[in-house]
Amino acid sequence: YEVAEMMEVEHAKVLRMIEGDKTHIGIIPTLDKAQMGSISYFIKSSYKDSMNREKVCYECTKLGCDMLANKMTGEKGIVFTARYVKKFNEMIGDPYKGISTELRSILMLDKKQQEIEKRVTGIE
């Protein structure tokens, strides 16, 4: 439901994109037919509407949001992509949050040094 809001489309339209209907095949049936594990993209769930009825919805993984974003074009596609990328980054958080600037700098330099050493030695 939240993804539909970010996409600025009705929830029913997002469900139609994900599940499909009589007029077009959806993302889940297509992924399942190709044996690509739709569960990596969309996890079936439910919610209660304002009349206390159980309604279908999907939890979208980052892959699912990528899939939906790739189906959108123009300004709406750009805005949705920006919104979901920001949302996932907020969920991941800042690994350096709450530490001093000096310690942050040391950790970032150490990480960079490790990356350089991996490239030079080829050892992970």
Side-chain angles (χ1 to χ4, degrees):
Y1 207 84
E2 184 179 359
V3 170
E5 288 177 2
M6 286 193 291
M7 292 173 71
E8 297 180 355
V9 298
E10 293 177 16
H11 185 241
K13 184 174 180 181
V14 177
L15 284 176
R16 188 173 149 245
M17 290 171 71
I18 293 170
E19 295 178 330
D21 63 15
K22 293 178 184 177
T23 62
H24 85 287
I25 191 163
I27 297 169
I28 288 177
T30 302
L31 291 171
D32 289 344
K33 183 178 177 182
Q35 297 178 345
M36 297 192 66
S38 61
I39 194 85
S40 298
Y41 299 82
F42 306 102
I43 302 161
K44 195 168 190 172
S45 187
S46 65
Y47 69 98
K48 298 232 182 208
D49 69 5
S50 60
M51 297 174 65
N52 207 31
R53 295 177 296 189
E54 190 97 1
K55 296 285 191 165
V56 171
C57 68
Y58 289 88
E59 299 292 332
C60 293
T61 67
K62 186 171 184 311
L63 287 174
C65 284
D66 287 340
M67 182 75 68
L68 290 169
N70 285 324
K71 296 189 83 45
M72 296 182 74
T73 58
E75 287 182 29
K76 275 193 169 186
I78 293 167
V79 171
F80 170 62
T81 301
R83 285 178 178 156
Y84 91 77
V85 167
K86 183 176 180 182
K87 183 81 169 177
F88 273 95
N89 284 338
E90 288 170 357
M91 288 167 49
I92 293 168
D94 179 2
Y96 303 115
K97 186 177 182 177
I99 63 174
S100 70
T101 305
E102 294 82 11
L103 182 55
R104 178 188 298 244
S105 298
I106 291 167
L107 291 170
M108 291 173 78
L109 284 171
D110 182 58
K111 183 177 178 183
K112 192 66 171 171
Q113 182 63 36
Q114 289 176 16
E115 290 171 6
I116 292 169
E117 287 174 7
K118 285 179 188 176
R119 274 189 255 141
V120 170
T121 62
I123 299 173
E124 302 240 354

